[in-house]
């Protein structure tokens, strides 16, 4: 939860401050949308090429065509944070990206979608792959705006639960009889 | 709350505050018996609970490192998380789903009913259903189980509607919203269910029975209970006569303490309980306390489990409402003609998006997995839970080199699926898929077992001391004032969610302890 809020604040800061990649005072690598609608600045533990390649990799791992890159960018932000707090992780990620680039003697980012997939399949048993995958499966799917994409509403207690908000609103199947599913008690 | 001195040896010292330990504590306190409860976890309130899966997981789960071995898939998917259970006052009753089912008569006579099964260490319980029934009745009343004591069933949610439609089209007859220790209307000072969809994260409705806000405060109100959260027990000590004499633990400030005891009751769940007995080895008990049978830590059971998800053209929004909202019981009987002994229950279950991603197909990635996740709000889901075979080799052992933050060897959990478990799971996957196909599913997904919440059997009851660790009251065969008070004492697992049986056994055990103390036998 803390991570999500921090990410949001940082993005809002970059949006509202009018800073762009060119004008920012940060020297650290930055993940940005093509139209500069958003930006995530990183710590510097990972270089720009590593960060860009990881961004592409995490999208290949869990490809949701209707999810914008920013949500994958927050995964890279988590990887960057892990790299900053642990040199071993930084090395694992940087070396892993080098292997992605070397697999077919062409930078991973320059490969076609199909070749990128092939390279990832070939590395799926590596510690690098598992670090990125296991981070992504938690980080990508633990973002509130991503939940909206999947139709998940998140916390319900602040809204009184679903007792009066559709816990039983499915109408395309027959209603179970009261003996199987009694009416709610008022 | 009572304050019991470290050297005061008149109290019953209970290790753990979940379904077994928390219930036993309250039952004893109600009889005027002094109790110290040592609980490894912190004390939370309902206000602390959060509707956020990962945050709640970090808040409530037992995350101390464990290792795994064996051919079960959990060892591959979650090598350091064999069990999904809690470290908190209230134990796993904070996390459980609330299903409260009685064992069936034949399940307590598993060896006699199923016969000799290769590779299984089956044994009859030293206890019959008839002996347990009065205690089941008390437990159901205590917990407020729906469809007992005139308490209405819960209203079914969307996930249940899909299960009901498919199951009845398939010809299943016993399909309803279950017997749940979740208030369908206010009862015993607790609210009615708000259909939050966060049963596993600690019930913010307060509708679900948990020892945290039922048994524990009721015990405190007697003035007999000294509850000590954040107290991690290291070993149980005994005197020269072989009786348990005290418990050594690390307190909340990190200081080692020794609490003297008249009786010690262990209720740390089926991994920590045998770990503690094994770690309490002495010259008099070289293989671990109460382990003359060699059965401490063995016969670890975790239920045959698995899940089926069905994908539909139309929205389901199955995450809304009680996590376990309904049940099909038609496969719970024993019918070896299906290719396995024992039976299984089909229970609705659904997860939020974060946990669905983590558990739908652990380790999976790529377009197919992402496509399944894209169908999240068009899915219905069920959990399959059935009897697994006790095996001597499925066991908890002390790690030979790794220790925890207190220097205590961490536990290793070894589990190999028995062929009967696989035959049952295969049947259950097929039937679960058929239920959803009958309701119109365009796709069904077989999900492997989650880390275990039903941890059973590692200090089992037996009629003969050579076959198990404790008698039919949970009293250890070797040490008269040492009791097993959690699911570890299960001789076999049955098909049913175990909490109601754990609570019933704890109520029964409290009667027995009080009697034995009264006649100075312990």
């Amino acid at each position: 939860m803390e991570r999500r809020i921090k990410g949001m604040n940082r993005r809002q800061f970059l949006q509202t401050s009018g800073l762009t990649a060119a004008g920012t005072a940060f020297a650290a690598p930055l993940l940005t949308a093509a139209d500069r609608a958003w930006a995530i600045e990183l710590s510097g533990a990972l270089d720009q090429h590593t960060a860009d390649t990881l961004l592409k990799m995490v999208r290949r791992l869990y490809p949701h065509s209707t999810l914008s890159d920013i949500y994958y960018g927050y995964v890279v932000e988590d990887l960057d944070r892990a790299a900053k707090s642990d040199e071993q992780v930084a090395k694992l990620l940087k070396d892993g990206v080098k292997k992605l680039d070397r697999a077919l003697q062409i930078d991973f980012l320059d490969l076609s979608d199909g070749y990128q997939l092939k390279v990832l399949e070939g590395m799926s048993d590596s510690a690098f792959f598992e670090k990125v995958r296991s981070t992504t499966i938690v980080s990508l799917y633990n973002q509130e705006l991503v939940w909206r994409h999947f139709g998940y509403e998140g916390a319900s207690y602040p809204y009184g639960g679903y007792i009066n908000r559709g816990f039983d609103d499915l109408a395309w199947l027959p209603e179970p009889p009261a003996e199987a599913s009694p009416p709610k008690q008022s | 709350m009572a304050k019991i001195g470290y050297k005061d040896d008149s109290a019953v010292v209970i290790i753990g505050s979940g379904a077994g330990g928390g219930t036993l504590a309250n039952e004893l306190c109600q009889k005027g018996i002094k109790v110290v409860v040592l609980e490894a976890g912190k004390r939370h309130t309902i206000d602390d609970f959060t509707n956020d899966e990962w945050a709640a997981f970090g808040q409530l789960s037992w995350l101390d490192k464990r290792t795994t071995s064996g051919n079960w898939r959990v060892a591959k998917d979650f090598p350091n998380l064999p069990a999904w259970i809690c470290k908190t006052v209230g134990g796993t009753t904070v996390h459980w789903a609330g299903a409260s089912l009685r064992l069936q008569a034949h399940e307590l006579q598993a060896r006699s009913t199923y016969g000799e099964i290769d590779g299984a260490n089956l044994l009859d319980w030293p206890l019959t259903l008839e002996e347990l029934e009065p205690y089941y009745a008390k437990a159901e009343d205590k917990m407020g189980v729906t469809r007992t004591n005139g308490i209405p069933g819960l209203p079914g949610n969307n996930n249940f509607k899909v299960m009901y439609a498919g199951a009845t089209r398939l010809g299943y007859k016993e399909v309803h919203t279950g017997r749940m220790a979740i208030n369908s209307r206010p009862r015993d000072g607790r609210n009615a269910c708000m259909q939050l969809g966060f049963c596993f994260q600690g019930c913010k409705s307060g509708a679900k029975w948990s020892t945290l806000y039922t048994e524990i405060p009721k015990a405190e109100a007697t003035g007999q209970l000294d509850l000590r959260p954040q107290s991690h027990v290291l070993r149980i000590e005994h005197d020269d006569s072989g009786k348990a004499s005290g418990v050594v633990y690390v307190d909340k400030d990190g200081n080692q303490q020794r609490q003297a005891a008249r009786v010690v009751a262990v209720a740390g769940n089926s991994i920590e309980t045998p770990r503690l007995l094994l770690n309490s080895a002495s010259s008099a008990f070289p293989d671990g306390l109460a382990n003359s049978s060699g059965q401490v830590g063995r016969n670890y059971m975790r239920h045959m489990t698995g899940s089926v998800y069905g994908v539909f053209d139309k929205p389901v929004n199955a995450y809304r409402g009680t996590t376990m909202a309904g049940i099909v019981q038609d496969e719970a009987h024993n019918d070896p003609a299906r290719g396995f002994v024992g039976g299984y229950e089909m229970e609705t279950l659904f997860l939020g998006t974060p946990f669905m991603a983590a558990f739908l197909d652990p380790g999976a990635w790529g377009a197919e997995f992402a496509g399944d996740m894209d169908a999240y709000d068009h899915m219905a889901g069920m959990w399959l839970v059935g009897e697994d075979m006790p095996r001597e080799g499925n066991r908890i052992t002390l790690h030979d080199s790794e220790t925890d933050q207190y220097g205590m060897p961490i536990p290793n959990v070894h589990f190999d699926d028995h062929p009967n478990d696989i035959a049952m799971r295969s049947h259950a996957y097929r039937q679960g898929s058929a239920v959803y196909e009958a309701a119109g599913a365009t796709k069904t997904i077989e999900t492997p077992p989650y880390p275990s919440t039903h941890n059973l059997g590692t200090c089992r009851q037996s009629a003969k001391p050579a076959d198990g660790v404790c008698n039919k009251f949970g009293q250890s065969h070797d040490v008269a004032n040492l009791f097993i008070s959690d699911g570890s004492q299960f001789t076999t697992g049955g098909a049913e969610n175990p909490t109601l049986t754990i609570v019933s056994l704890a109520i029964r055990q409290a009667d027995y302890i009080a009697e034995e103390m009264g006649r100075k036998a312990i």
Side-chain angles (χ1 to χ4, degrees), chain B residues 15 233-236 266 272-280:
Chain B
I15 301 158
V233 177
L234 302 176
R235 64 182 182 276
I236 300 162
V266 194
E272 295 305 315
T273 291
R275 178 192 182 203
L276 185 55
L277 296 184
L278 293 172
N279 202 49
S280 301

Side-chain angles (χ1 to χ4, degrees), chain B residues 84-262:
Chain B
W84 182 358
I85 49 182
C86 295
K87 184 191 237 186
T88 170
V89 174
T92 307
T93 65
V94 173
H95 161 79
W96 76 309
S100 301
L101 305 170
R102 296 184 180 196
L103 288 169
Q104 303 168 71
H106 73 267
E107 290 172 331
L108 291 151
Q109 316 300 323
R111 174 64 180 81
S112 303
T113 308
Y114 306 151
E116 171 106 30
I117 306 263
D118 268 356
N121 192 22
L122 280 169
L123 188 70
D124 290 347
W125 287 59
L127 189 61
T128 63
L129 180 62
E130 208 175 4
E131 287 173 272
L132 255 184
E133 273 169 344
Y135 295 95
Y136 272 136
K138 286 183 185 181
E140 286 162 351
D141 182 47
K142 174 194 282 289
M143 300 160 81
V145 177
T146 58
R147 292 189 162 81
T148 74
N149 297 286
I151 303 168
L154 285 158
N157 68 357
N158 293 330
N159 203 13
F160 175 70
K161 286 187 183 180
V162 177
M163 168 181 267
Y164 184 84
T168 51
R169 283 174 190 170
L170 214 58
Y172 284 143
K173 305 287 184 213
E174 294 173 70
V175 191
H176 55 76
T177 56
R179 291 168 181 259
M180 305 296 293
I182 299 177
N183 280 348
S184 53
R185 60 187 184 204
R187 185 177 191 272
D188 196 27
R190 289 184 288 121
N191 297 328
C193 173
M194 294 163 69
Q195 299 285 339
L196 293 169
F198 288 92
C199 301
F200 285 173
Q201 285 69 38
C203 174
K204 283 189 83 71
S205 304
K208 181 183 80 180
W209 179 85
S210 168
T211 55
L212 174 63
Y213 41 80
T214 58
E215 306 308 302
I216 299 286
K218 286 179 185 183
E220 286 177 320
T222 66
Q224 304 291 336
L225 177 64
D226 185 346
L227 170 68
R228 301 180 197 161
Q230 294 175 267
S231 298
H232 189 105
V233 177
L234 302 176
R235 64 182 182 276
I236 300 162
E237 295 187 337
H238 62 83
D239 62 18
D240 291 344
S241 71
K243 278 172 57 184
S245 56
V247 174
V248 176
Y249 68 99
V250 178
D251 71 12
K252 63 182 186 342
D253 303 316
N255 298 317
Q256 197 161 306
Q257 307 290 358
R258 182 184 187 280
Q259 176 61 52
R262 177 165 174 184

Side-chain angles (χ1 to χ4, degrees), chain A residues 61-62 64 153 156 168 172 175 181, chain B residues 156 161 196 315 319 364 366 374:
Chain A
L61 289 179
Y62 296 102
H64 296 286
E153 295 167 86
S156 69
D168 63 347
W172 52 268
E175 287 294 312
S181 177
Chain B
K161 286 187 183 180
L196 293 169
Y319 58 88
D374 281 332

Side-chain angles (χ1 to χ4, degrees), chain B residues 32-51:
Chain B
I33 294 170
K34 285 198 289 189
V35 172
V36 175
V37 170
L38 301 173
E39 165 56 55
K42 292 179 185 168
R43 184 171 194 164
H44 295 286
T45 66
I46 289 176
D47 284 346
D48 295 342
F49 297 157
T50 176
N51 282 186

